[in-house]
Amino acid sequence: MRNIKIIIEYDGTNFNGWQFQPHHRSVQGELQRAVKQITGEQVSIEGAGRTDTGVHARGQVGNFKIEKEIGLPELMKGLNAVLPDDVRVKSIDEVDMNFHSRFSAKERRYKYYMVQHPISIGRQYYWYYPHELDFEIMKSACCLLIGQKNFRSFCLSRAEVSHYICEVRKAEWYEKDGAMIFEINANRFLHNMVRTIVGTFVNLGRGRITYDDLLSIMEKEDRRVAGFSAPAEGLCLEEVVY
Amino acid sequence: MRNIKIIIEYDGTNFNGWQFQPHHRSVQGELQRAVKQITGEQVSIEGAGRTDTGVHARGQVGNFKIEKEIGLPELMKGLNAVLPDDVRVKSIDEVDMNFHSRFSAKERRYKYYMVQHPISIGRQYYWYYPHELDFEIMKSACCLLIGQKNFRSFCLSRAEVSHYICEVRKAEWYEKDGAMIFEINANRFLHNMVRTIVGTFVNLGRGRITYDDLLSIMEKEDRRVAGFSAPAEGLCLEEVVY
C-alpha cells in the first residue's frame, strides 16, 4: 500500500465546493474519478480544507492510498490528462502511511482578493466592491484577530465542531497590483470564517461599525452579531503547512 | 458634438475578437450596443488595436462621438451596467474632436503570458507550454527585434497594409510570479505579429531553430519561413500611448 500526497489547484467557479456530492460537481469527486481512471482503484481523497461552492484553491492538499506500482511523474501526468481543466495536480509525493492531509496539517493559509475598480480579466477571482473604504482602519484592526481566540461569532451556526478556538498566526490587509488582499494563517478555520471576517471588516471600513463594535463582536461569541459573509469568488486556499 | 475616449478591459475568451461582425459576438458590437442603450445614439467605436478572437485587453482604447449631454461618470456607470461582465469601461474622458483612438495612437504595448506548470486559476490568460525551453537564448535574442525593422515574416499574408515596417521600442522576455512574459512595445503591429514572434521564439528556445535562423527569418521578409502562431489566450493588449 502506498500513501500519495497531492497538491491541487482549482478554479472553484464551476464546482459545488470540495466535498463529494452524488449529484453535483465537486473537486473531490473529479479527483476520485481521475484516480480510478488511472489506477483502477477506488480511493477516498480527503482535503486539508473543505472549501465551499465557488471558493478557489492554489494549494489544497489531499492524500489517497493505492496499491498500483506506477511512477509519480507518470501518475501526475495521467491525472492531469483526465481531469477537467479547472482542476490540476501541481505536485505529487509518496509519504509515510500515517500522513493525513487533514489531520496532519499544522496551518492553513487563505487569501481573500478584492478590487474597487471594474475588471473583466480575472473577475472570477475577485470580489468587486466599488464603495469607498477606510483601508487604514481595516489594516490596523487585524491585530484583534491574532492569537488563540474564540471565533464562534464568525462561524456558520450549523457547523458541528467541538470548540471554536483558532490560533490565528497572521492576519493582514495589504494592497498589491491594484487589488486589496486579506491574508490569514491559522492552525484551523471554522466554516465560513474567512468570508465572515472579511464581511465584518468591510463593515468596519465602510463605517457601519466601529473598532469597539468589532471587539465586542469577537467577545459575544454569537454569529448573529458579526457581519455578512463576503462572496465566495474572492477566497482562495493558498497553502497548507505540515 | 462631443468626442468621448474610453479605456476598455476585456476577457477575450468568449469574443470573436474586437471587430464588429453581424452574427458573432464582438467587443466593438457590445460597446456600440451599450452606447446606444445609454445615449440613444448609434455610434461607431474604432479600437486602437483590432485584437483577434480570444485575445484579451487591459488597455484597449476607443472613441465615439455623441450629442447627448450626460456626465462622464454617469455615462461610464451606465455603460458598465448594461455591458456583459467580460467587458468593462475602465476610464472615460472627453477629448478634442480630432482625437482618433487608432490614428492618434503613438505606441501599442502588448504582453504575452506563458506558464510551464499546470494551472487552473487564470488558465484563460496563459499559454500552458510544458516543454523545456532555453529561456536565456530567448531573452538575448530580443535585441534582434528592436528598431525600425521589416516584420513581413511575422505578418499574416492576407493582411492588407501599405508597408511592413514597425518601430519596436521595447522587446523582452522576463519571469514574474512563476510566469514567462514577453513584453513588446511598437508604434504599430501587423496582423498576428506578436503571436508569430512568440511562436518563433519558442522554436528558438526549443532548439528547433538557431539564433542565425532567426536573423535570416527576419531578413527573408516571408511569412512562410517564420514559426507557428502562439495561441490567442496568452496575448493581451496592455496599453495604448498617445
Side-chain angles (χ1 to χ4, degrees):
Chain A
M1 205 69 157
R2 306 165 70 195
N3 193 6
I4 308 294
K5 173 193 174 195
I6 51 176
I7 302 182
I8 312 140
E9 175 176 308
Y10 49 87
D11 178 334
T13 310
N14 298 316
F15 284 109
N16 275 62
W18 164 266
Q19 197 148 18
F20 179 77
Q21 295 159 75
H23 304 296
H24 294 287
R25 192 166 180 265
S26 67
V27 182
Q28 188 184 26
E30 292 292 342
L31 284 166
Q32 290 176 177
R33 191 192 47 71
V35 172
K36 178 85 194 277
Q37 206 170 332
I38 299 300
T39 67
E41 299 175 47
Q42 183 67 54
V43 298
S44 163
I45 309 181
E46 258 207 89
R50 293 189 196 164
T51 56
D52 278 333
T53 298
V55 173
H56 314 291
R58 246 182 225 98
Q60 173 73 285
V61 176
N63 75 299
F64 55 91
K65 292 171 182 171
I66 52 169
E67 300 277 3
K68 192 178 173 80
E69 289 301 324
I70 178 176
L72 294 177
E74 194 188 341
L75 178 54
M76 173 165 148
K77 210 171 166 181
L79 292 174
N80 280 332
V82 299
L83 281 166
D85 70 356
D86 50 359
V87 47
R88 297 284 96 183
V89 176
K90 286 170 79 176
S91 76
I92 196 162
D93 216 355
E94 190 161 346
V95 289
D96 188 271
M97 287 303 286
N98 294 320
F99 175 86
H100 188 287
S101 54
R102 192 163 153 225
F103 302 126
S104 310
K106 294 205 163 49
E107 185 170 302
R108 279 94 175 158
R109 298 178 174 177
Y110 281 91
K111 286 185 187 167
Y112 194 95
Y113 297 83
M114 287 175 73
V115 285
Q116 302 211 269
H117 56 272
I119 56 164
S120 59
I121 293 179
R123 67 196 176 285
Q124 308 88 337
Y125 314 117
Y126 292 89
W127 179 25
Y128 168 52
Y129 188 84
H131 311 291
E132 210 178 310
L133 288 170
D134 180 347
F135 201 44
E136 290 313 307
I137 195 172
M138 292 166 69
K139 278 182 184 172
S140 62
C142 284
C143 59
L144 280 182
L145 304 168
I146 303 287
Q148 287 201 352
K149 301 266 168 99
N150 186 312
F151 282 91
R152 187 165 193 170
S153 296
F154 300 94
C155 174
L156 268 191
S157 48
R158 64 182 157 93
E160 287 167 17
V161 285
S162 56
H163 70 92
Y164 298 90
I165 308 293
C166 304
E167 187 186 318
V168 173
R169 292 162 193 161
K170 181 178 188 176
E172 62 179 48
W173 282 97
Y174 58 90
E175 283 165 283
K176 196 189 167 194
D177 298 334
M180 291 167 61
I181 300 170
F182 177 63
E183 188 172 343
I184 183 165
N185 304 343
N187 65 328
R188 67 197 282 259
F189 285 90
L190 306 173
H191 190 200
N192 228 242
M193 179 169 141
V194 184
R195 290 165 59 190
T196 310
I197 292 175
V198 169
T200 307
F201 270 68
V202 163
N203 281 344
L204 179 72
R206 281 287 277 167
R208 290 191 191 117
I209 62 166
T210 64
Y211 184 89
D212 286 343
D213 292 336
L214 180 59
L215 200 60
S216 113
I217 287 167
M218 293 279 296
E219 282 165 359
K220 278 194 177 132
E221 300 175 12
D222 179 352
R223 174 66 188 87
R224 290 165 300 177
V225 299
F228 64 102
S229 170
E233 67 260 31
L235 185 58
C236 185
L237 171 54
E238 297 285 343
E239 195 182 350
V240 182
V241 181
Y242 291 92
Chain B
M1 206 68 158
R2 305 165 71 196
N3 194 6
I4 309 294
K5 173 194 174 194
I6 51 177
I7 302 182
I8 312 140
E9 175 176 307
Y10 48 87
D11 178 333
T13 311
N14 298 314
F15 284 109
N16 275 63
W18 164 266
Q19 196 148 19
F20 179 78
Q21 295 161 74
H23 304 297
H24 293 287
R25 192 165 180 265
S26 67
V27 182
Q28 189 184 26
E30 292 292 342
L31 284 166
Q32 290 178 176
R33 190 192 48 70
V35 171
K36 178 84 193 278
Q37 206 171 332
I38 299 301
T39 67
E41 299 176 48
Q42 183 66 56
V43 299
S44 164
I45 309 181
E46 258 207 88
R50 293 190 197 162
T51 55
D52 279 333
T53 298
V55 174
H56 314 290
R58 244 182 227 99
Q60 173 74 285
V61 177
N63 76 299
F64 56 92
K65 291 171 181 170
I66 53 169
E67 300 279 3
K68 192 177 175 80
E69 289 301 323
I70 179 175
L72 294 177
E74 194 188 340
L75 178 54
M76 175 165 147
K77 212 172 163 180
L79 292 174
N80 281 332
V82 299
L83 281 167
D85 70 355
D86 49 359
V87 48
R88 297 284 94 184
V89 176
K90 284 170 80 176
S91 76
I92 194 162
D93 216 355
E94 191 162 346
V95 290
D96 188 90
M97 287 304 286
N98 295 320
F99 175 86
H100 189 286
S101 54
R102 191 161 154 227
F103 302 126
S104 309
K106 294 205 163 50
E107 186 170 301
R108 279 96 175 156
R109 297 178 174 178
Y110 281 91
K111 286 185 187 165
Y112 194 94
Y113 298 81
M114 287 175 73
V115 284
Q116 301 210 270
H117 56 273
I119 57 164
S120 60
I121 294 180
R123 66 198 177 284
Q124 309 88 337
Y125 313 118
Y126 292 89
W127 178 25
Y128 168 53
Y129 189 84
H131 310 291
E132 209 177 313
L133 288 170
D134 180 346
F135 200 44
E136 291 313 307
I137 196 172
M138 292 166 69
K139 279 181 184 173
S140 63
C142 284
C143 59
L144 279 183
L145 304 168
I146 304 287
Q148 287 201 351
K149 302 264 168 100
N150 186 312
F151 282 91
R152 187 165 194 170
S153 296
F154 300 95
C155 175
L156 267 191
S157 48
R158 63 182 157 95
E160 287 168 17
V161 285
S162 57
H163 70 91
Y164 298 91
I165 309 295
C166 303
E167 187 186 319
V168 173
R169 292 162 191 159
K170 181 178 186 176
E172 61 179 47
W173 282 97
Y174 57 90
E175 283 165 283
K176 196 189 167 194
D177 298 333
M180 292 167 60
I181 300 170
F182 177 64
E183 187 172 343
I184 183 164
N185 303 345
N187 65 328
R188 67 197 281 261
F189 285 89
L190 306 172
H191 191 198
N192 227 242
M193 179 168 141
V194 184
R195 291 164 56 191
T196 310
I197 291 174
V198 169
T200 307
F201 269 69
V202 163
N203 280 344
L204 178 72
R206 281 288 277 168
R208 289 192 193 117
I209 62 167
T210 65
Y211 184 90
D212 286 343
D213 293 334
L214 181 59
L215 201 61
S216 114
I217 287 166
M218 293 281 294
E219 282 165 0
K220 279 193 176 135
E221 300 175 13
D222 180 351
R223 175 65 188 88
R224 291 165 299 178
V225 299
F228 64 102
S229 170
E233 67 260 30
L235 185 59
C236 185
L237 172 53
E238 297 285 343
E239 194 182 352
V240 183
V241 181
Y242 292 93

